[in-house]
Amino acid sequence: MDGVKMRSDLLVKNILFFFLCWMCAVNVARPDDAQPEVGGTPARARIVIVENSRATVAFEPDAEVVQDMMNRGIQKVTGKSNVKAAWRSLVSPKDVVGLKVYSGPGPNSGTRPAVVEAVVQDLLKAGIPASNIIVWDKRLVDLRLAGFSYLADRYHIRLAGSADAGYDAKVFYQNPVPGNLSAGDLEFDQDRATTGSKSYVSKLLTQSITKIITIAPLLNHNMAGICGNLYGLAMGSVDNTQRFLDSPDRLATAVPEIYAMSPLSDHVVLSITDALIGQYQGEQMSLLHYSTELNQIWLSRDPVALDVWGVRELDNERQAAKMDSFGDNPKLYQNAGELELGVPDLSKIRLDVVR
């Protein structure tokens, strides 16, 4: 009888021991576990940087090397074991996938067609129909001048301009600062109004595209700091934007608030920075003598982290060239953080470098 009681006591102690161990495992996070949150925003962002010194030669991308970099980067950022599974974790064959580029500065300083081509090839291999892939920017003419017609011809995908598609009268961003309307703006075309306080969202986003991948160049902007993922998508998606481009403060308010609109931010599945070349001076002009071959592609689910890291990199390049830094507009990225679009704090960004 005593032996039975001893075994029973031992069983109870073992159960209590394992229960306490389980409670500790639940309540004490390991260093690699999910990071804590601050005000609803993840306290840590992650950027995957893929680097290959052979990615460019005399500022010209090597398409095969760039393709390999994209393949490795997408697997790393998604944690999938192959390229198809990686992209299928973000988009499906039923989606209309919009690749938002920044084409105004041309093929050398804007988003490079070679980087976009790498994404297009991967999407096609992942089973996304060519007819469901749209490379877009604000104006179709800029896309053609930047060399994207080659992708449309070769892969039978679509090119589109958000302004050319027209604007949705039911979906708009309202800001008390009035803007001088011009041809192409919805209210100007409909009512011949001269000023307006609304910026209407393109029908391309409200009626066609279901998933957005932004691909922005590492290119300076004199008021936003960088022609990045936030600025490019926000200013490329709506009309009546000139009123924001005259003031860093207005831009710092408008860009995050427009990006946060449902037709934009709710559909972004991945942000990419084309850092093959970093141009730290010139903005819309292609100035390769103010550029550095970094031979990198950056990928993240956090557009704010990507952009603040880009601003930092461009500042470093200017310092190396013994030039003054200006126009970084930290308020824009702080506002984006407050809207929970991402993490603007450099100290909370984790880099995963793939070489």
PDB file of all heavy atoms in Angstrom, residues 37-38 40 46 151 205 221 255 288 310 324 330:
ATOM      1  N   GLU A  37       5.437  44.629 -29.115  1.00  0.00           N
ATOM      2  CA  GLU A  37       4.881  45.710 -29.897  1.00  0.00           C
ATOM      3  C   GLU A  37       4.825  46.984 -29.082  1.00  0.00           C
ATOM      4  O   GLU A  37       4.651  46.951 -27.870  1.00  0.00           O
ATOM      5  CB  GLU A  37       3.476  45.341 -30.396  1.00  0.00           C
ATOM      6  CG  GLU A  37       3.498  44.181 -31.376  1.00  0.00           C
ATOM      7  CD  GLU A  37       2.159  43.991 -32.042  1.00  0.00           C
ATOM      8  OE1 GLU A  37       1.207  44.674 -31.620  1.00  0.00           O
ATOM      9  OE2 GLU A  37       2.069  43.188 -32.971  1.00  0.00           O
ATOM     10  N   VAL A  38       4.994  48.104 -29.761  1.00  0.00           N
ATOM     11  CA  VAL A  38       4.928  49.405 -29.122  1.00  0.00           C
ATOM     12  C   VAL A  38       3.849  50.204 -29.830  1.00  0.00           C
ATOM     13  O   VAL A  38       3.982  50.530 -31.007  1.00  0.00           O
ATOM     14  CB  VAL A  38       6.284  50.155 -29.210  1.00  0.00           C
ATOM     15  CG1 VAL A  38       6.165  51.513 -28.535  1.00  0.00           C
ATOM     16  CG2 VAL A  38       7.376  49.333 -28.558  1.00  0.00           C
ATOM     17  N   GLY A  40       1.103  49.287 -31.018  1.00  0.00           N
ATOM     18  CA  GLY A  40       0.521  48.587 -32.155  1.00  0.00           C
ATOM     19  C   GLY A  40       1.480  48.381 -33.308  1.00  0.00           C
ATOM     20  O   GLY A  40       1.200  47.631 -34.219  1.00  0.00           O
ATOM     21  N   ARG A  46      12.354  43.986 -40.442  1.00  0.00           N
ATOM     22  CA  ARG A  46      13.360  43.124 -41.060  1.00  0.00           C
ATOM     23  C   ARG A  46      13.526  43.495 -42.523  1.00  0.00           C
ATOM     24  O   ARG A  46      12.549  43.635 -43.251  1.00  0.00           O
ATOM     25  CB  ARG A  46      12.933  41.657 -40.937  1.00  0.00           C
ATOM     26  CG  ARG A  46      13.853  40.655 -41.618  1.00  0.00           C
ATOM     27  CD  ARG A  46      13.368  39.253 -41.316  1.00  0.00           C
ATOM     28  NE  ARG A  46      14.158  38.232 -41.986  1.00  0.00           N
ATOM     29  CZ  ARG A  46      13.688  37.421 -42.938  1.00  0.00           C
ATOM     30  NH1 ARG A  46      12.433  37.519 -43.332  1.00  0.00           N
ATOM     31  NH2 ARG A  46      14.470  36.512 -43.484  1.00  0.00           N
ATOM     32  N   LEU A 151       9.484  44.616 -71.776  1.00  0.00           N
ATOM     33  CA  LEU A 151       8.914  43.566 -70.929  1.00  0.00           C
ATOM     34  C   LEU A 151       7.514  43.193 -71.407  1.00  0.00           C
ATOM     35  O   LEU A 151       7.141  42.017 -71.406  1.00  0.00           O
ATOM     36  CB  LEU A 151       8.866  44.015 -69.469  1.00  0.00           C
ATOM     37  CG  LEU A 151      10.200  44.359 -68.803  1.00  0.00           C
ATOM     38  CD1 LEU A 151       9.984  44.691 -67.335  1.00  0.00           C
ATOM     39  CD2 LEU A 151      11.190  43.203 -68.949  1.00  0.00           C
ATOM     40  N   LEU A 205      -6.283  51.162 -59.297  1.00  0.00           N
ATOM     41  CA  LEU A 205      -6.192  50.554 -57.975  1.00  0.00           C
ATOM     42  C   LEU A 205      -7.548  50.170 -57.412  1.00  0.00           C
ATOM     43  O   LEU A 205      -7.671  49.163 -56.709  1.00  0.00           O
ATOM     44  CB  LEU A 205      -5.469  51.487 -56.995  1.00  0.00           C
ATOM     45  CG  LEU A 205      -3.945  51.445 -57.054  1.00  0.00           C
ATOM     46  CD1 LEU A 205      -3.422  52.162 -58.291  1.00  0.00           C
ATOM     47  CD2 LEU A 205      -3.345  52.066 -55.804  1.00  0.00           C
ATOM     48  N   HIS A 221      15.352  62.297 -53.106  1.00  0.00           N
ATOM     49  CA  HIS A 221      14.274  63.244 -53.388  1.00  0.00           C
ATOM     50  C   HIS A 221      14.505  64.440 -52.481  1.00  0.00           C
ATOM     51  O   HIS A 221      14.719  64.291 -51.279  1.00  0.00           O
ATOM     52  CB  HIS A 221      12.901  62.620 -53.113  1.00  0.00           C
ATOM     53  CG  HIS A 221      11.759  63.473 -53.577  1.00  0.00           C
ATOM     54  ND1 HIS A 221      11.320  64.557 -52.851  1.00  0.00           N
ATOM     55  CD2 HIS A 221      10.977  63.404 -54.688  1.00  0.00           C
ATOM     56  CE1 HIS A 221      10.301  65.130 -53.499  1.00  0.00           C
ATOM     57  NE2 HIS A 221      10.085  64.448 -54.614  1.00  0.00           N
ATOM     58  N   VAL A 255       1.861  62.109 -47.788  1.00  0.00           N
ATOM     59  CA  VAL A 255       2.361  60.807 -48.261  1.00  0.00           C
ATOM     60  C   VAL A 255       1.913  59.665 -47.352  1.00  0.00           C
ATOM     61  O   VAL A 255       1.334  58.677 -47.838  1.00  0.00           O
ATOM     62  CB  VAL A 255       3.895  60.832 -48.434  1.00  0.00           C
ATOM     63  CG1 VAL A 255       4.445  59.407 -48.565  1.00  0.00           C
ATOM     64  CG2 VAL A 255       4.273  61.637 -49.660  1.00  0.00           C
ATOM     65  N   LEU A 288      24.747  59.966 -63.170  1.00  0.00           N
ATOM     66  CA  LEU A 288      25.525  58.815 -62.741  1.00  0.00           C
ATOM     67  C   LEU A 288      26.827  59.218 -62.053  1.00  0.00           C
ATOM     68  O   LEU A 288      27.417  58.421 -61.318  1.00  0.00           O
ATOM     69  CB  LEU A 288      25.808  57.894 -63.930  1.00  0.00           C
ATOM     70  CG  LEU A 288      24.572  57.188 -64.511  1.00  0.00           C
ATOM     71  CD1 LEU A 288      24.966  56.293 -65.671  1.00  0.00           C
ATOM     72  CD2 LEU A 288      23.839  56.387 -63.440  1.00  0.00           C
ATOM     73  N   GLY A 310      17.073  53.517 -46.742  1.00  0.00           N
ATOM     74  CA  GLY A 310      17.540  54.131 -47.979  1.00  0.00           C
ATOM     75  C   GLY A 310      18.015  55.555 -47.780  1.00  0.00           C
ATOM     76  O   GLY A 310      19.040  55.968 -48.340  1.00  0.00           O
ATOM     77  N   ASP A 324      26.912  68.020 -48.571  1.00  0.00           N
ATOM     78  CA  ASP A 324      25.984  68.231 -47.474  1.00  0.00           C
ATOM     79  C   ASP A 324      24.733  67.375 -47.673  1.00  0.00           C
ATOM     80  O   ASP A 324      24.269  67.160 -48.791  1.00  0.00           O
ATOM     81  CB  ASP A 324      25.568  69.703 -47.379  1.00  0.00           C
ATOM     82  CG  ASP A 324      26.722  70.599 -46.941  1.00  0.00           C
ATOM     83  OD1 ASP A 324      27.635  70.081 -46.263  1.00  0.00           O
ATOM     84  OD2 ASP A 324      26.691  71.794 -47.273  1.00  0.00           O
ATOM     85  N   PRO A 330      12.565  63.677 -41.892  1.00  0.00           N
ATOM     86  CA  PRO A 330      12.258  62.603 -40.938  1.00  0.00           C
ATOM     87  C   PRO A 330      10.812  62.610 -40.463  1.00  0.00           C
ATOM     88  O   PRO A 330      10.267  61.564 -40.083  1.00  0.00           O
ATOM     89  CB  PRO A 330      13.219  62.873 -39.781  1.00  0.00           C
ATOM     90  CG  PRO A 330      13.599  64.312 -39.914  1.00  0.00           C
ATOM     91  CD  PRO A 330      13.597  64.597 -41.376  1.00  0.00           C
TER      92      PRO A 330
END
